[in-house]
Amino acid sequence: MEITKPLISEAKSYSPTVLNFDVVIVGGAMTGATLALAIEYFTDAGLSIAVVEAAIHDNSHPGYDARSIALSYSSCNLLERIGIWRALSHFSSAIKSIHVSDQGHFGLTEMHAQHDNFPFFGNVIELIHAGQVFFSAFKTAKNITFFCPAIVLSVEREQKCIKLTLSSGQALQAQLLVAADGTTSSCCAMVGIGHHEHDFNQVAVVANITTSMPHHGRAFERFTSSGPLALLPMSEARSSLVWCVTPLEAPKLLALSDNNFLDALQCAFGWRLGHLVHVGQRNTYPLILHQSTQLISHRFAAVGNAAQTLHPIAGQGFNLGLRDVIALAEEIASAYREAKDCGDIALLLRYQKRRTHDRDNTIAMTSGLVYGFSNTSIPLVLSRNLGLASMSIFHEIKAPLLQKAMGLIE
């Protein structure tokens, strides 16, 4: 994708000059791009920012592929704060109601945004459209320089700065390095930050589905014996599918013809959207909880999937990462207004303190939902279905979980 600023990494001859920035962000997909734009917005372009991205930003970029992302109500508001939501909203599909059910059991509940005086619970955006919006925003940014394609080869930390060497031959120096380079963050590894890992023994099958009945903004979360199945509303009468199955089932589902796959999905999901008439390209990815052992280190911070990668149940992953981004951007902006070092350890400690409670609670909630709804123990099946049924009757039971899902409480 053409951008107004030169792709420095494509220079034919390399200068030994070290390029100085205030902040270097490694990872230019949605999390890293949002952080760069948030810092620019909160500081009125007062800080110089470098974004280093390995993949060329086109329709095949792994951060902006055919998948969709569910933005919570709070996330939409956060993106509006930094001036990006209006452009994204043109490509969004509002979630106006959420239907939750347990396959083969009586428990179900349904939530409607208008009943709780909200315009929507969230919005679904296709990542490829999000990429177009963010790269357009980069074109007009005043103080963001984009290095692509480029890989960080080495990181060297000194007392008052951090230095990076790129695969292009360029050398960068900054006060702060932020890792937004995803689950297998090379930057975290380079500064000695490890991660805890837990395998849920599930694989997500993702695809776009066309249904015979319009979705009318309805999102569905259906719990099956092999894992949760979600259908989220999209444009053009489509829904975004995330179907969590066992590692043995996943390759069998990929090997099915489109018609046979739709038949299997129809059996698992039911007929609430009528006949499932078309499926797009199917992909899979293993579901493993990754959690970095630290959020910060000397002149270093991790955000988004580099800090934690969650199970997709309840759609909390990116929304949690966005709260990382905004908290860090606010702390950086505060330091800028006070003419302080934006990589100072006091700033980083404040960021860590702000994020620890929300991070731990959200990881516990999503992991608990996975185990609670994958367990076939009769007492647990009965209790969770009673819980779902009670949520349909008593708003006081439903409200806290709904507010957490919408990002209104941390």
Side-chain angles (χ1 to χ4, degrees):
M1 178 173 291
E2 182 182 355
I3 63 175
T4 55
K5 295 179 182 177
L7 296 178
I8 297 176
S9 60
E10 293 182 352
K12 294 183 179 179
S13 61
Y14 302 128
S15 167
T17 304
V18 176
L19 301 175
N20 286 285
F21 296 91
D22 294 303
V23 181
V24 174
I25 301 166
V26 178
M30 201 161 167
T31 298
T34 304
L35 178 60
L37 294 170
I39 295 171
E40 169 129 330
Y41 180 83
F42 290 149
T43 64
D44 195 22
L47 293 176
S48 57
I49 305 162
V51 178
V52 180
E53 170 55 42
I56 296 174
H57 288 67
D58 58 17
N59 290 348
S60 64
H61 185 278
Y64 294 111
D65 57 19
R67 291 175 297 167
S68 297
I69 191 166
L71 299 173
S72 70
Y73 177 83
S74 175
S75 291
C76 296
N77 288 339
L78 291 175
L79 292 169
E80 186 172 23
R81 276 185 64 196
I82 63 172
I84 200 74
W85 173 246
R86 179 173 295 183
L88 284 172
S89 67
H90 295 301
F91 304 102
S92 67
S93 298
I95 299 174
K96 299 179 180 178
S97 68
I98 302 172
H99 186 282
V100 183
S101 61
D102 194 4
Q103 185 186 28
H105 303 286
F106 66 87
L108 63 85
T109 189
E110 193 160 8
M111 296 161 276
H112 299 271
Q114 63 179 4
H115 293 172
D116 292 282
N117 297 315
F118 291 104
F120 49 77
F121 289 133
N123 278 272
V124 180
I125 296 179
E126 293 176 72
L127 291 175
I128 191 169
H129 293 150
Q132 295 165 2
V133 170
F134 280 102
F135 302 137
S136 177
F138 272 0
K139 287 183 181 181
T140 58
K142 297 177 182 178
N143 213 357
I144 299 174
T145 305
F146 194 52
F147 294 80
C148 178
I151 297 171
V152 177
L153 297 181
S154 66
V155 174
E156 179 184 349
R157 291 185 287 180
E158 299 180 1
Q159 182 179 356
K160 294 188 177 182
C161 69
I162 190 162
K163 297 179 180 179
L164 292 80
T165 303
L166 305 186
S167 56
S168 60
Q170 291 288 345
L172 310 183
Q173 180 173 296
Q175 294 179 333
L176 177 66
L177 169 62
V178 182
D181 52 343
T183 301
T184 56
S185 170
S186 62
C187 285
C188 285
M190 287 180 190
V191 300
I193 294 179
H195 66 271
H196 300 300
E197 190 173 284
H198 177 76
D199 192 340
F200 290 107
N201 197 35
Q202 292 180 351
V203 174
V205 179
V206 296
N208 295 334
I209 305 293
T210 303
T211 59
S212 63
M213 292 173 57
H215 52 64
H216 295 302
R218 288 180 292 171
F220 295 86
E221 185 96 45
R222 185 159 174 80
F223 297 101
T224 74
S225 58
S226 58
L229 183 164
L231 279 174
L232 305 176
M234 294 174 62
S235 61
E236 301 173 1
R238 296 173 301 155
S239 293
S240 174
L241 169 70
V242 180
W243 189 0
C244 303
V245 298
T246 67
L248 290 176
E249 291 175 291
K252 296 176 183 178
L253 289 173
L254 282 187
L256 293 175
S257 67
D258 285 356
N259 286 338
N260 287 341
F261 177 84
L262 288 170
D263 288 342
L265 178 59
Q266 191 92 64
C267 289
F269 175 70
W271 295 84
R272 291 182 175 90
L273 288 175
H275 187 59
L276 308 182
V277 297
H278 180 73
V279 58
Q281 180 179 343
R282 285 167 267 164
N283 291 294
T284 62
Y285 60 94
L287 299 178
I288 301 172
L289 170 65
H290 291 261
Q291 185 175 2
S292 65
T293 55
Q294 300 169 233
L295 282 179
I296 62 169
S297 184
H298 177 63
R299 297 199 172 275
F300 180 89
V303 296
N305 282 351
Q308 64 276 315
T309 303
L310 309 187
H311 191 286
I313 193 170
Q316 291 300 299
F318 177 75
N319 296 295
L320 178 63
L322 182 58
R323 298 196 291 274
D324 292 344
V325 163
I326 297 300
L328 182 59
E330 288 176 342
E331 293 299 337
I332 291 171
S334 177
Y336 167 74
R337 288 191 295 269
E338 297 174 8
K340 293 182 178 178
D341 183 344
C342 66
D344 184 72
I345 189 61
L347 178 157
L348 296 174
L349 287 169
R350 289 194 300 270
Y351 163 66
Q352 178 177 257
K353 183 177 181 180
R354 289 179 62 175
R355 297 307 306 137
T356 299
H357 179 75
D358 182 23
R359 182 190 194 215
D360 291 346
N361 280 359
T362 305
I363 290 172
M365 180 192 76
T366 55
S367 298
L369 286 172
V370 173
Y371 287 110
F373 281 91
S374 298
N375 196 307
T376 57
S377 163
I378 293 177
L380 187 55
V381 169
L382 180 60
S383 63
R384 75 187 183 216
N385 277 268
L386 286 172
L388 286 174
S390 299
M391 286 174 65
S392 294
I393 302 170
F394 303 107
H395 185 268
E396 295 79 4
I397 298 175
K398 177 168 51 180
L401 182 60
L402 186 58
Q403 289 180 327
K404 178 64 178 176
M406 294 173 68
L408 297 176
I409 55 175
E410 297 182 1

